[in-house]
Amino acid sequence: MTPLRGRQRELDLITAAMESAHRGDGRLLAVAGGIGSGKTALLRGLPALAGPRGLRALTVGCAAQEQDFPLGVVSRLLDPLPGCRSLDLDPGPDGAADLLSHVVEYSADKPLLILVDDLQWADPASLRWLGGLAGRLPGLRVTVVVSVREGEPGADAPPVQALVERATSCLWLAPLSVDAVAALVADRLGRPGRPAQVAARHEASGGNPLFLTAALADLAPDGPRAGHAPDGPEPRYVALRERLAVALRSQPGPVRRLARALAVLDEEAGLELAGRLAELDTAGSEEAARCLRRLGLLTDGPAPRLVHPSVREAAEESMTLAEHEDIHLRAAQLLYTGGHPAERAAAQLLAVTSVTNGWTVEVLRSAATAARRRGAPAQAACYLRRALLGSSSSGADRAALLLDLAASERDVDPQAALRLLSQALLLLPTPTGRALAAARTAPSLLGGCPPPVIDTVAKVAAELGDPDGLTGVERQAALRLEARLRHVAVAGPGEIARCAERLRALGGTPPMSTAAERELAAVLLHGATVTQRMTAAEAAVQANRVLQHEPAAPDHVHTALPLLCAVLTAAESLEVIGPWLTTARERARRDATPVPQAVIAVELALTLLARGRLQDARAHTEEALALGVTEWATLPSLTAIVMVALHSRDAGLTRRLLAHRHETADHDFRPSPLQLLRGSVAAVKGDSATALEYVLDWGRSAERADWRNPALAPWHAWAAGLQHRLGRLQAAHDLADEEYERSVAWGTPTAVGRAQRVRGAITAGERGIELLRESADTLERSVNTMESARTDLLLGRRLLAAGRFAEGEVRLRRARDRALSCGVPWIADQACRDLADPAGSRNPVAVAALTRAERRVAGLAAHGTPNKEIAERLEVSSRAVEKHLTSAYRKLHVAGRSELAVLAPLLPGPEGD
């Protein structure tokens, strides 16, 4: 680092003193400042200025360990002068006088610049000699510059102060200005730095050259080392800490203790609290703080703080392990008894290896509660894990800690939370306590637990008894346990068939005033939906009643309420669940909780898939995968993602799911959605026989589990298509008829229309076309655009084959447009091929990749609508229009509006999607 940046005033005064020395008018100048203020760098730069002015420079640096050598500083200083070594360096008055005379005689011929760095460490004899020289300077051709580090114990010694007071000028080195820092950044880079770079280095260093050197270490001549990850600590920072540690060790005990206290406490602790931690009274604290300020390690102001992180690190590293434990424990106790926030005290306890006092566990639990309230579950878990180290290995107290820790972990690591709950169950002494703990398990995760865990939950429920015979908290716990055990159907597949019976026993309007009642209702509704023991209309009414009583909160993912999403999508009742989930998602994003965000993303994917909006469903699927949902979710919880992979025919997503998830120890009667994925892979490869076997295997498992509803997974329809492809016509018709009967019984347009399409697809001639028309008419009442597109595609092809070209082309264009609207590129691509549409050669897959907003804007632009009119029509800003158009051009590989116009047939026009 160039030593002369930002020190022009000091250089002018010193060069003026050099020129005065030529005239026989010597001067003494003192340079003062705290550690790292640039004193040594300034003195090292002066010899280069002395030579051109005809002065010979003599330099010496004082060291604390040489203070016992009389005239040691002077002898090293004058050793380069001719004839000096021949003198008898007697430390007595005569020897000092001889040395002084030698300097006087030499300077008569050659002016001298004498530089003494760190004067506070000079030996007494050398200080007296320098004092004698200072007294004779007005008649000599000698300039003397000495530096003193303020804050060092020796800097206040009378001989040092006496010499400084005799100086013609005392130069106190102020922090470097922003302009000086900018110049040093430019020196480092070889070019001017960006304003943000300069400001960051100035703020990080406070203008102190020592700290600035460290702050410049991450800059390279070719720019910042973005993403640079060194293998070990940055050498400059290590050297900085070592230098600061040496400086602190030289300070008196009270100063060292205050520095350590300030390093341990946070920046807002204040001098009073830091003084108490350092075991100093008010006067002692103020004196120690004054020394640290003079040394340049402490800021001014009512709440002083250490000027740089390296000072804090040096202070902490100077402590032994025992001292480190003691000061952090005492700091925690001071903060706790002083009424400070629990998290401030807990932060101190995290630095202690063992917390065994009762008050420490209380502090850590309180801090965990505060962390959860502010949306920091990971930090809460950190506090509680430390509290576990100080708790007993058994008993209700440890169980309470385990439950608190599970509550913090469930938003980050649900599997860890389940393990903690399982441990707590074994420690709680009462049935009610065990029931309340077991009721915290998420039903979706309980199904993937080992049998002993589920057996334990069942045992707890049996201990508590029938919910109808209980009241208060015990009844709520019993209802929650019933919901969980019915969901996992621990007694076998027959249990799920009794859900509808249990739901009807609750009356026409089941009670939903408590969260436990709503959980049970959600499980019973899901069971009745899966087993098709009620109609879609009945299920929709009851499921929406639950949502009306339940606030839209992220915590619903830890209950049975996510099952409502499957119920309402199967019932095609999406008006309430969509906005409800959107509200919950916003709160989850605000709280930055990954597990709720992932589960809600899967729920939203399912609702969008029910609307046929495959591209939007895929976006939520990617969000859930990015949040690590496959690392902890059970296979049934991933069904929505599996369905997205199936409908999109996305080989990449399919491979990811098959690679990341494997069948676990879920109950044997539960069908694995991975079987459907494997069947899809085989079908794409043209291996219909293998694909059929996978689908039938899934179907057999579903039948054993009493999963009958075709709205959830139309396996009969898939199997019928494969049977037909293999030439097994009767088997295909039997499966299709079964699908149709169940779909009619369920009563939703999507399920019925899909079943009609399958029957039409496997039926030849005019009857097949008629069945496809019925499917198309039925699906017009459906919310699922994708299913309508599939029927239009198949019907269009059959009409073209029958020679009805005009009607066939209308159907194919409708299939193409609907497929592009909902983001199903393979349907759009097949429709374009059948139409022999020139626009189809431009790859409708790219059009399908557009978001809904991009597609709407691009469609209006392709049909000639100006940007301003587009903005007005869509009620967005012109900037938003430009942004969407730019993104659309990139995805479609077009240069502008003229090339975009070619794709107009594939894009919505002014009349809308």
PDB file of all heavy atoms in Angstrom, residues 68-98:
ATOM      1  N   ASP A  68      15.808  -2.699  28.248  1.00  0.00           N
ATOM      2  CA  ASP A  68      16.841  -2.896  29.283  1.00  0.00           C
ATOM      3  C   ASP A  68      18.256  -2.685  28.758  1.00  0.00           C
ATOM      4  O   ASP A  68      19.226  -2.891  29.501  1.00  0.00           O
ATOM      5  CB  ASP A  68      16.729  -4.314  29.875  1.00  0.00           C
ATOM      6  CG  ASP A  68      15.425  -4.513  30.627  1.00  0.00           C
ATOM      7  OD1 ASP A  68      14.885  -3.501  31.118  1.00  0.00           O
ATOM      8  OD2 ASP A  68      14.958  -5.662  30.719  1.00  0.00           O
ATOM      9  N   PHE A  69      18.420  -2.287  27.500  1.00  0.00           N
ATOM     10  CA  PHE A  69      19.754  -2.062  26.931  1.00  0.00           C
ATOM     11  C   PHE A  69      20.005  -0.559  26.847  1.00  0.00           C
ATOM     12  O   PHE A  69      19.460   0.116  25.952  1.00  0.00           O
ATOM     13  CB  PHE A  69      19.868  -2.686  25.543  1.00  0.00           C
ATOM     14  CG  PHE A  69      19.732  -4.188  25.553  1.00  0.00           C
ATOM     15  CD1 PHE A  69      18.503  -4.799  25.329  1.00  0.00           C
ATOM     16  CD2 PHE A  69      20.843  -4.981  25.802  1.00  0.00           C
ATOM     17  CE1 PHE A  69      18.390  -6.170  25.344  1.00  0.00           C
ATOM     18  CE2 PHE A  69      20.730  -6.349  25.817  1.00  0.00           C
ATOM     19  CZ  PHE A  69      19.503  -6.955  25.590  1.00  0.00           C
ATOM     20  N   PRO A  70      20.800  -0.009  27.729  1.00  0.00           N
ATOM     21  CA  PRO A  70      21.048   1.449  27.717  1.00  0.00           C
ATOM     22  C   PRO A  70      21.659   1.897  26.391  1.00  0.00           C
ATOM     23  O   PRO A  70      22.574   1.257  25.863  1.00  0.00           O
ATOM     24  CB  PRO A  70      22.028   1.654  28.885  1.00  0.00           C
ATOM     25  CG  PRO A  70      21.818   0.466  29.777  1.00  0.00           C
ATOM     26  CD  PRO A  70      21.486  -0.666  28.855  1.00  0.00           C
ATOM     27  N   LEU A  71      21.113   2.965  25.871  1.00  0.00           N
ATOM     28  CA  LEU A  71      21.551   3.556  24.609  1.00  0.00           C
ATOM     29  C   LEU A  71      21.450   2.583  23.434  1.00  0.00           C
ATOM     30  O   LEU A  71      22.077   2.765  22.388  1.00  0.00           O
ATOM     31  CB  LEU A  71      22.991   4.081  24.704  1.00  0.00           C
ATOM     32  CG  LEU A  71      23.187   5.350  25.528  1.00  0.00           C
ATOM     33  CD1 LEU A  71      24.657   5.746  25.521  1.00  0.00           C
ATOM     34  CD2 LEU A  71      22.330   6.498  25.004  1.00  0.00           C
ATOM     35  N   GLY A  72      20.631   1.515  23.603  1.00  0.00           N
ATOM     36  CA  GLY A  72      20.480   0.548  22.524  1.00  0.00           C
ATOM     37  C   GLY A  72      19.858   1.176  21.288  1.00  0.00           C
ATOM     38  O   GLY A  72      20.281   0.915  20.157  1.00  0.00           O
ATOM     39  N   VAL A  73      18.848   2.045  21.476  1.00  0.00           N
ATOM     40  CA  VAL A  73      18.201   2.696  20.350  1.00  0.00           C
ATOM     41  C   VAL A  73      19.167   3.622  19.644  1.00  0.00           C
ATOM     42  O   VAL A  73      19.279   3.642  18.406  1.00  0.00           O
ATOM     43  CB  VAL A  73      16.944   3.458  20.824  1.00  0.00           C
ATOM     44  CG1 VAL A  73      16.403   4.341  19.715  1.00  0.00           C
ATOM     45  CG2 VAL A  73      15.894   2.483  21.320  1.00  0.00           C
ATOM     46  N   VAL A  74      19.943   4.424  20.439  1.00  0.00           N
ATOM     47  CA  VAL A  74      20.859   5.395  19.850  1.00  0.00           C
ATOM     48  C   VAL A  74      21.983   4.695  19.106  1.00  0.00           C
ATOM     49  O   VAL A  74      22.387   5.113  18.008  1.00  0.00           O
ATOM     50  CB  VAL A  74      21.415   6.328  20.944  1.00  0.00           C
ATOM     51  CG1 VAL A  74      22.470   7.261  20.359  1.00  0.00           C
ATOM     52  CG2 VAL A  74      20.298   7.121  21.589  1.00  0.00           C
ATOM     53  N   SER A  75      22.489   3.616  19.679  1.00  0.00           N
ATOM     54  CA  SER A  75      23.591   2.920  19.016  1.00  0.00           C
ATOM     55  C   SER A  75      23.161   2.349  17.676  1.00  0.00           C
ATOM     56  O   SER A  75      23.899   2.418  16.695  1.00  0.00           O
ATOM     57  CB  SER A  75      24.126   1.810  19.921  1.00  0.00           C
ATOM     58  OG  SER A  75      23.119   0.827  20.156  1.00  0.00           O
ATOM     59  N   ARG A  76      21.934   1.779  17.629  1.00  0.00           N
ATOM     60  CA  ARG A  76      21.451   1.259  16.350  1.00  0.00           C
ATOM     61  C   ARG A  76      21.153   2.394  15.373  1.00  0.00           C
ATOM     62  O   ARG A  76      21.314   2.252  14.170  1.00  0.00           O
ATOM     63  CB  ARG A  76      20.194   0.407  16.567  1.00  0.00           C
ATOM     64  CG  ARG A  76      20.498  -0.927  17.222  1.00  0.00           C
ATOM     65  CD  ARG A  76      19.315  -1.895  17.176  1.00  0.00           C
ATOM     66  NE  ARG A  76      18.195  -1.442  17.997  1.00  0.00           N
ATOM     67  CZ  ARG A  76      17.029  -1.072  17.537  1.00  0.00           C
ATOM     68  NH1 ARG A  76      16.810  -1.068  16.233  1.00  0.00           N
ATOM     69  NH2 ARG A  76      16.056  -0.672  18.344  1.00  0.00           N
ATOM     70  N   LEU A  77      20.730   3.516  15.890  1.00  0.00           N
ATOM     71  CA  LEU A  77      20.421   4.655  15.037  1.00  0.00           C
ATOM     72  C   LEU A  77      21.670   5.214  14.371  1.00  0.00           C
ATOM     73  O   LEU A  77      21.683   5.508  13.166  1.00  0.00           O
ATOM     74  CB  LEU A  77      19.728   5.738  15.872  1.00  0.00           C
ATOM     75  CG  LEU A  77      19.420   7.059  15.165  1.00  0.00           C
ATOM     76  CD1 LEU A  77      18.319   6.857  14.127  1.00  0.00           C
ATOM     77  CD2 LEU A  77      19.016   8.138  16.167  1.00  0.00           C
ATOM     78  N   LEU A  78      22.744   5.356  15.155  1.00  0.00           N
ATOM     79  CA  LEU A  78      23.943   6.034  14.659  1.00  0.00           C
ATOM     80  C   LEU A  78      24.977   5.091  14.070  1.00  0.00           C
ATOM     81  O   LEU A  78      26.003   5.556  13.540  1.00  0.00           O
ATOM     82  CB  LEU A  78      24.589   6.833  15.803  1.00  0.00           C
ATOM     83  CG  LEU A  78      23.684   7.886  16.468  1.00  0.00           C
ATOM     84  CD1 LEU A  78      24.460   8.618  17.549  1.00  0.00           C
ATOM     85  CD2 LEU A  78      23.151   8.868  15.438  1.00  0.00           C
ATOM     86  N   ASP A  79      24.716   3.800  14.150  1.00  0.00           N
ATOM     87  CA  ASP A  79      25.698   2.826  13.669  1.00  0.00           C
ATOM     88  C   ASP A  79      26.115   3.065  12.214  1.00  0.00           C
ATOM     89  O   ASP A  79      27.293   2.889  11.863  1.00  0.00           O
ATOM     90  CB  ASP A  79      25.130   1.412  13.834  1.00  0.00           C
ATOM     91  CG  ASP A  79      26.144   0.352  13.484  1.00  0.00           C
ATOM     92  OD1 ASP A  79      27.147   0.240  14.204  1.00  0.00           O
ATOM     93  OD2 ASP A  79      25.917  -0.362  12.471  1.00  0.00           O
ATOM     94  N   PRO A  80      25.224   3.524  11.304  1.00  0.00           N
ATOM     95  CA  PRO A  80      25.663   3.747   9.911  1.00  0.00           C
ATOM     96  C   PRO A  80      26.606   4.934   9.727  1.00  0.00           C
ATOM     97  O   PRO A  80      27.258   5.039   8.666  1.00  0.00           O
ATOM     98  CB  PRO A  80      24.341   3.987   9.174  1.00  0.00           C
ATOM     99  CG  PRO A  80      23.280   3.394  10.043  1.00  0.00           C
ATOM    100  CD  PRO A  80      23.771   3.638  11.436  1.00  0.00           C
ATOM    101  N   LEU A  81      26.724   5.846  10.719  1.00  0.00           N
ATOM    102  CA  LEU A  81      27.574   7.031  10.535  1.00  0.00           C
ATOM    103  C   LEU A  81      29.051   6.646  10.570  1.00  0.00           C
ATOM    104  O   LEU A  81      29.466   5.838  11.403  1.00  0.00           O
ATOM    105  CB  LEU A  81      27.289   8.065  11.620  1.00  0.00           C
ATOM    106  CG  LEU A  81      25.926   8.772  11.544  1.00  0.00           C
ATOM    107  CD1 LEU A  81      25.811   9.791  12.663  1.00  0.00           C
ATOM    108  CD2 LEU A  81      25.738   9.450  10.196  1.00  0.00           C
ATOM    109  N   PRO A  82      29.864   7.203   9.706  1.00  0.00           N
ATOM    110  CA  PRO A  82      31.315   6.905   9.709  1.00  0.00           C
ATOM    111  C   PRO A  82      31.941   7.300  11.047  1.00  0.00           C
ATOM    112  O   PRO A  82      31.664   8.357  11.608  1.00  0.00           O
ATOM    113  CB  PRO A  82      31.859   7.788   8.577  1.00  0.00           C
ATOM    114  CG  PRO A  82      30.666   8.060   7.709  1.00  0.00           C
ATOM    115  CD  PRO A  82      29.490   8.121   8.621  1.00  0.00           C
ATOM    116  N   GLY A  83      32.743   6.374  11.562  1.00  0.00           N
ATOM    117  CA  GLY A  83      33.460   6.670  12.792  1.00  0.00           C
ATOM    118  C   GLY A  83      32.668   6.414  14.047  1.00  0.00           C
ATOM    119  O   GLY A  83      33.218   6.487  15.149  1.00  0.00           O
ATOM    120  N   CYS A  84      31.403   6.109  13.926  1.00  0.00           N
ATOM    121  CA  CYS A  84      30.585   5.929  15.126  1.00  0.00           C
ATOM    122  C   CYS A  84      30.968   4.651  15.865  1.00  0.00           C
ATOM    123  O   CYS A  84      30.970   4.606  17.085  1.00  0.00           O
ATOM    124  CB  CYS A  84      29.113   5.904  14.758  1.00  0.00           C
ATOM    125  SG  CYS A  84      28.020   5.886  16.194  1.00  0.00           S
ATOM    126  N   ARG A  85      31.322   3.608  15.113  1.00  0.00           N
ATOM    127  CA  ARG A  85      31.654   2.337  15.754  1.00  0.00           C
ATOM    128  C   ARG A  85      32.938   2.425  16.561  1.00  0.00           C
ATOM    129  O   ARG A  85      33.164   1.641  17.481  1.00  0.00           O
ATOM    130  CB  ARG A  85      31.787   1.245  14.700  1.00  0.00           C
ATOM    131  CG  ARG A  85      30.477   0.928  14.005  1.00  0.00           C
ATOM    132  CD  ARG A  85      30.625  -0.232  13.056  1.00  0.00           C
ATOM    133  NE  ARG A  85      29.369  -0.557  12.398  1.00  0.00           N
ATOM    134  CZ  ARG A  85      29.213  -1.554  11.536  1.00  0.00           C
ATOM    135  NH1 ARG A  85      30.270  -2.312  11.229  1.00  0.00           N
ATOM    136  NH2 ARG A  85      28.041  -1.780  10.987  1.00  0.00           N
ATOM    137  N   SER A  86      33.826   3.368  16.218  1.00  0.00           N
ATOM    138  CA  SER A  86      35.088   3.502  16.950  1.00  0.00           C
ATOM    139  C   SER A  86      34.917   4.186  18.296  1.00  0.00           C
ATOM    140  O   SER A  86      35.822   4.168  19.134  1.00  0.00           O
ATOM    141  CB  SER A  86      36.100   4.294  16.105  1.00  0.00           C
ATOM    142  OG  SER A  86      35.614   5.611  15.883  1.00  0.00           O
ATOM    143  N   LEU A  87      33.723   4.802  18.507  1.00  0.00           N
ATOM    144  CA  LEU A  87      33.484   5.483  19.782  1.00  0.00           C
ATOM    145  C   LEU A  87      33.188   4.460  20.871  1.00  0.00           C
ATOM    146  O   LEU A  87      32.670   3.377  20.629  1.00  0.00           O
ATOM    147  CB  LEU A  87      32.305   6.445  19.658  1.00  0.00           C
ATOM    148  CG  LEU A  87      32.489   7.613  18.677  1.00  0.00           C
ATOM    149  CD1 LEU A  87      31.197   8.407  18.569  1.00  0.00           C
ATOM    150  CD2 LEU A  87      33.631   8.520  19.149  1.00  0.00           C
ATOM    151  N   ASP A  88      33.533   4.835  22.074  1.00  0.00           N
ATOM    152  CA  ASP A  88      33.237   3.983  23.224  1.00  0.00           C
ATOM    153  C   ASP A  88      31.795   4.234  23.635  1.00  0.00           C
ATOM    154  O   ASP A  88      31.472   5.309  24.174  1.00  0.00           O
ATOM    155  CB  ASP A  88      34.190   4.323  24.383  1.00  0.00           C
ATOM    156  CG  ASP A  88      33.972   3.407  25.585  1.00  0.00           C
ATOM    157  OD1 ASP A  88      33.215   2.408  25.431  1.00  0.00           O
ATOM    158  OD2 ASP A  88      34.522   3.698  26.658  1.00  0.00           O
ATOM    159  N   LEU A  89      30.922   3.248  23.362  1.00  0.00           N
ATOM    160  CA  LEU A  89      29.502   3.455  23.643  1.00  0.00           C
ATOM    161  C   LEU A  89      29.234   3.213  25.125  1.00  0.00           C
ATOM    162  O   LEU A  89      28.585   2.261  25.536  1.00  0.00           O
ATOM    163  CB  LEU A  89      28.653   2.522  22.784  1.00  0.00           C
ATOM    164  CG  LEU A  89      28.737   2.778  21.276  1.00  0.00           C
ATOM    165  CD1 LEU A  89      27.823   1.842  20.523  1.00  0.00           C
ATOM    166  CD2 LEU A  89      28.415   4.227  20.964  1.00  0.00           C
ATOM    167  N   ASP A  90      29.765   4.085  25.932  1.00  0.00           N
ATOM    168  CA  ASP A  90      29.550   4.027  27.369  1.00  0.00           C
ATOM    169  C   ASP A  90      28.182   4.636  27.668  1.00  0.00           C
ATOM    170  O   ASP A  90      27.893   5.764  27.258  1.00  0.00           O
ATOM    171  CB  ASP A  90      30.644   4.836  28.073  1.00  0.00           C
ATOM    172  CG  ASP A  90      30.517   4.786  29.595  1.00  0.00           C
ATOM    173  OD1 ASP A  90      29.577   4.101  30.081  1.00  0.00           O
ATOM    174  OD2 ASP A  90      31.327   5.427  30.271  1.00  0.00           O
ATOM    175  N   PRO A  91      27.290   3.871  28.367  1.00  0.00           N
ATOM    176  CA  PRO A  91      25.955   4.403  28.624  1.00  0.00           C
ATOM    177  C   PRO A  91      25.958   5.587  29.588  1.00  0.00           C
ATOM    178  O   PRO A  91      24.914   6.200  29.814  1.00  0.00           O
ATOM    179  CB  PRO A  91      25.212   3.201  29.221  1.00  0.00           C
ATOM    180  CG  PRO A  91      26.270   2.315  29.790  1.00  0.00           C
ATOM    181  CD  PRO A  91      27.471   2.497  28.904  1.00  0.00           C
ATOM    182  N   GLY A  92      27.103   5.889  30.162  1.00  0.00           N
ATOM    183  CA  GLY A  92      27.163   7.005  31.099  1.00  0.00           C
ATOM    184  C   GLY A  92      27.111   8.343  30.384  1.00  0.00           C
ATOM    185  O   GLY A  92      27.032   8.436  29.163  1.00  0.00           O
ATOM    186  N   PRO A  93      27.160   9.437  31.136  1.00  0.00           N
ATOM    187  CA  PRO A  93      27.066  10.793  30.550  1.00  0.00           C
ATOM    188  C   PRO A  93      28.137  11.071  29.512  1.00  0.00           C
ATOM    189  O   PRO A  93      27.876  11.719  28.498  1.00  0.00           O
ATOM    190  CB  PRO A  93      27.180  11.723  31.765  1.00  0.00           C
ATOM    191  CG  PRO A  93      26.754  10.860  32.933  1.00  0.00           C
ATOM    192  CD  PRO A  93      27.224   9.484  32.615  1.00  0.00           C
ATOM    193  N   ASP A  94      29.337  10.566  29.752  1.00  0.00           N
ATOM    194  CA  ASP A  94      30.428  10.868  28.812  1.00  0.00           C
ATOM    195  C   ASP A  94      30.173  10.199  27.466  1.00  0.00           C
ATOM    196  O   ASP A  94      30.391  10.798  26.400  1.00  0.00           O
ATOM    197  CB  ASP A  94      31.765  10.391  29.385  1.00  0.00           C
ATOM    198  CG  ASP A  94      32.181  11.210  30.611  1.00  0.00           C
ATOM    199  OD1 ASP A  94      31.659  12.329  30.750  1.00  0.00           O
ATOM    200  OD2 ASP A  94      32.983  10.699  31.419  1.00  0.00           O
ATOM    201  N   GLY A  95      29.706   8.912  27.497  1.00  0.00           N
ATOM    202  CA  GLY A  95      29.433   8.205  26.253  1.00  0.00           C
ATOM    203  C   GLY A  95      28.314   8.881  25.469  1.00  0.00           C
ATOM    204  O   GLY A  95      28.388   9.024  24.243  1.00  0.00           O
ATOM    205  N   ALA A  96      27.285   9.309  26.147  1.00  0.00           N
ATOM    206  CA  ALA A  96      26.185   9.975  25.467  1.00  0.00           C
ATOM    207  C   ALA A  96      26.647  11.291  24.869  1.00  0.00           C
ATOM    208  O   ALA A  96      26.244  11.664  23.764  1.00  0.00           O
ATOM    209  CB  ALA A  96      25.039  10.219  26.466  1.00  0.00           C
ATOM    210  N   ALA A  97      27.517  12.003  25.600  1.00  0.00           N
ATOM    211  CA  ALA A  97      28.006  13.289  25.088  1.00  0.00           C
ATOM    212  C   ALA A  97      28.851  13.083  23.838  1.00  0.00           C
ATOM    213  O   ALA A  97      28.778  13.872  22.886  1.00  0.00           O
ATOM    214  CB  ALA A  97      28.821  14.001  26.166  1.00  0.00           C
ATOM    215  N   ASP A  98      29.666  12.018  23.835  1.00  0.00           N
ATOM    216  CA  ASP A  98      30.486  11.737  22.650  1.00  0.00           C
ATOM    217  C   ASP A  98      29.601  11.471  21.432  1.00  0.00           C
ATOM    218  O   ASP A  98      29.894  11.947  20.321  1.00  0.00           O
ATOM    219  CB  ASP A  98      31.377  10.521  22.920  1.00  0.00           C
ATOM    220  CG  ASP A  98      32.473  10.837  23.928  1.00  0.00           C
ATOM    221  OD1 ASP A  98      32.736  12.032  24.154  1.00  0.00           O
ATOM    222  OD2 ASP A  98      33.036   9.874  24.504  1.00  0.00           O
TER     223      ASP A  98
END
